[in-house]
Amino acid sequence: MQQSAGVRSRLPPVPRIWAVHPTEVWVVVVANAVVITTMWIIHGGLHQIGTIGGAFTAVGQITALLGTYLALVGIVLMARSPWLDQIFGLGGLSKWHRWVGFATLWLLVGHGIFTTLGFAAEAGTSIVDEINALLFTYPWVLMATVALVLMVVVGILSVRAARQRLSYETWYGIHLYAYLAVALAFLHELAVGSDFATDLVAQAYWVALYIAVIVLVVVFRIGQPIVLSLRHRLRVADVRREAPDVVSIYISGRHLDELPVRAGQYFFWRFLGDGGWWRAHPFSLSAAPNGQYLRITVKGSGDDTHWLQHVTPGTRVFAEGPYGAFTSLRRRYARALLIAGGIGITPLRAILEEFHGFPDSCMVIYRAGSWDDVVFRQELDALAQRDSTKIHYLIGRRGPRGADPLDARSIAQLVPDVRLRDVFICGPDEMIDATRRSLRSLKVSNSQIHDERFAF
């Protein structure tokens, strides 16, 4: 982007960062899948296809290997590795974890079906007799069946229609059974898997995969949070009401100036009072890090978020993070447009602070159903006045035939130079998807659009 010397001096510098593209990660994932398939072929996988029973058995073997591998990939995606988090972001990791999970489920269900059909055809027995033989005479098959049932239950409850009927706490607790399912499946795989019977290299390869996954989970989901919490000793310092069902929680601690966190990032928070220690929820910082306190802002929309409306000062806090690629480091342009929907203003309010001292470099569009739903009105107006930032409040609920206040025409009128800005969007999925369509019709490139979704 070309700028005059005078304009350049009034705009924040565009950061230059090195980043791995998500495609490169998937190249590694696919490469391992190729290795697994190649080992299966070397071990005679294709030689079985001469008969109908052998063909079914071959399909059952390869679906088992790839399904188990994808289960490990799914765990890695949600192991909270900061490296992957910076590449995909919270929404990207959740999306890919979801699709990898469904692919895992279909492959493992296919393994059970094709293996049973293949063994029955080869033995000349009925399907029912073969199922009984597999369950009660083959080692670890019963445990593998239990694992598959657990995976099916988790998969069904992860379907959007079912997920929306469950509280976060219930869904999270059920989802943990997927770890047990993967462990049981591995014991079955080692005991009867054809790739492990005679090949020590294959055994070592799979054991290494499992060890790598376990290390990632232990380091990033257990070790890193413990170290962070012991070092910084976080506690609730204050709770302030922002709206009838919204509070800001101020969290104090030691050495907060050394915490490597940026505006727009989030932590998984555990509040250790009244049984809240085992439930972790992701909340973005709603104020830029200042070395004195961390602030999150919570809207009461579920069991835990309603409980957090009344958390008491002095409560110990256990934090995992920071996470998130939704930061100003992603900018390609000096100017930015921040678009918020409802409580989605929280990370954008923090990002807005980073533009202090650069007048006219940032613009905000805040969409809310009513003025009661607007959070941080006074803070936003104060920040806008300080740095000559324009804030457009779009208030009101759209009817069935109402015009979309964030359609392409409206955005172009409010922000004529939108193609020369990075756009940060946070809010409900429907709003983000619609806004992305509007921006693309205005020829705003995908590389300029950054979003944070309510993924949990």
Side-chain angles (χ1 to χ4, degrees):
M1 181 177 64
Q2 297 296 322
Q3 302 170 344
S4 68
V7 173
R8 185 183 297 112
S9 65
R10 296 174 59 248
L11 295 177
V14 178
R16 301 299 179 193
I17 60 173
W18 176 85
V20 175
H21 193 274
T23 303
E24 299 173 42
V25 176
W26 292 119
V27 167
V28 175
V29 172
V30 172
N32 276 282
V34 171
V35 170
I36 291 168
T37 304
T38 302
M39 286 193 298
W40 173 75
I41 293 173
I42 292 172
H43 297 148
L46 295 179
H47 295 163
Q48 307 171 76
I49 301 180
T51 64
I52 293 178
F56 280 139
T57 302
V59 175
Q61 289 174 353
I62 191 62
T63 52
L65 291 169
L66 294 179
T68 304
Y69 170 62
L70 283 186
L72 295 178
V73 172
I75 292 176
V76 169
L77 288 174
M78 299 308 289
R80 298 177 189 167
S81 162
W83 181 66
L84 286 177
D85 189 78
Q86 286 295 316
I87 297 171
F88 291 98
L90 174 62
L93 285 173
S94 299
K95 180 187 72 174
W96 283 112
H97 174 72
R98 176 184 176 83
W99 286 111
V100 166
F102 284 128
T104 299
L105 182 59
W106 283 112
L107 286 168
L108 294 180
V109 169
H111 162 64
I113 293 173
F114 285 113
T115 299
T116 303
L117 291 174
F119 282 20
E122 291 290 316
T125 59
S126 69
I127 299 299
V128 173
D129 288 341
E130 191 59 41
I131 290 175
N132 286 329
L134 287 171
L135 287 177
F136 301 111
T137 63
Y138 279 73
W140 293 103
V141 172
L142 182 58
M143 291 296 97
T145 303
V146 172
L148 181 58
V149 171
L150 290 174
M151 294 286 286
V152 170
V153 171
V154 172
I156 291 173
L157 295 179
S158 295
V159 174
R160 191 178 300 275
R163 170 69 183 90
Q164 291 175 343
R165 296 176 180 272
L166 298 174
S167 68
Y168 172 84
E169 296 78 20
T170 301
W171 176 85
Y172 181 80
I174 293 173
H175 213 68
L176 292 178
Y177 283 104
Y179 290 97
L180 176 60
V182 172
L184 293 175
F186 183 55
L187 295 175
H188 164 71
E189 188 178 15
L190 282 178
V192 302
S194 61
D195 268 27
F196 304 95
T198 59
D199 193 339
L200 293 177
V201 174
Q203 292 180 22
Y205 175 83
W206 277 95
V207 169
L209 287 180
Y210 271 83
I211 289 176
V213 172
I214 292 170
V215 168
L216 285 174
V217 171
V218 170
V219 169
F220 294 119
R221 299 204 69 164
I222 300 175
Q224 187 267 352
I226 290 176
V227 172
L228 183 149
S229 296
L230 289 177
R231 173 168 175 73
H232 297 289
R233 298 187 183 180
L234 303 176
R235 290 183 180 274
V236 174
D238 194 10
V239 181
R240 300 180 187 177
R241 182 69 54 182
E242 302 286 358
D245 59 345
V246 178
V247 296
S248 285
I249 301 174
Y250 291 76
I251 299 166
S252 61
R254 303 189 310 166
H255 311 298
L256 295 185
D257 56 321
E258 299 175 9
L259 195 61
V261 58
R262 293 187 64 89
Q265 290 189 299
Y266 65 95
F267 291 81
F268 283 86
W269 305 91
R270 299 174 191 266
F271 293 84
L272 307 188
D274 298 328
W277 65 269
W278 69 277
R279 298 188 294 263
H281 288 266
F283 295 114
S284 300
L285 298 182
S286 60
N290 55 31
Q292 300 178 359
Y293 60 81
L294 303 173
R295 187 181 77 172
I296 60 174
T297 301
V298 181
K299 180 176 181 178
S301 57
D303 295 344
D304 276 4
T305 50
H306 281 302
W307 172 73
L308 287 175
Q309 305 287 304
H310 308 287
V311 67
T312 56
T315 299
R316 290 287 302 273
V317 181
F318 194 82
E320 305 171 43
Y323 302 117
F326 190 67
T327 73
S328 60
L329 287 177
R330 294 291 170 180
R331 286 187 297 119
R332 299 176 67 242
Y333 290 82
R335 289 187 172 90
L337 168 63
L338 314 182
I339 302 178
I343 196 64
I345 190 63
T346 51
L348 298 178
R349 154 67 178 80
I351 291 174
L352 180 60
E353 281 191 81
E354 291 194 333
F355 286 85
H356 175 46
F358 300 96
D360 300 315
S361 61
C362 195
M363 188 176 292
V364 180
I365 298 177
Y366 191 172
R367 177 85 176 92
S370 68
W371 283 108
D372 289 338
D373 296 322
V374 174
V375 184
F376 307 131
R377 174 71 187 277
Q378 293 182 344
E379 292 184 16
L380 290 170
D381 289 344
L383 290 170
Q385 184 177 11
R386 184 180 67 180
D387 292 316
S388 301
T389 299
K390 293 182 180 178
I391 299 182
H392 300 282
Y393 295 99
L394 306 182
I395 307 301
R397 301 189 181 277
R398 183 176 55 169
R401 298 183 180 179
D404 184 357
L406 291 174
D407 62 16
R409 181 179 179 182
S410 300
I411 292 176
Q413 289 178 342
L414 294 174
V415 193
D417 65 341
V418 66
R419 281 188 288 180
L420 298 178
R421 293 176 181 263
D422 278 272
V423 184
F424 293 83
I425 317 169
C426 187
D429 284 350
E430 296 80 4
M431 186 207 84
I432 291 176
D433 292 338
T435 304
R436 274 187 165 273
R437 289 193 294 269
S438 299
L439 292 169
R440 284 197 294 267
S441 69
L442 293 172
K443 309 301 181 185
V444 178
S445 70
N446 284 329
S447 61
Q448 293 172 242
I449 305 173
H450 321 282
D451 64 55
E452 187 78 293
R453 297 172 182 266
F454 298 160
F456 290 84

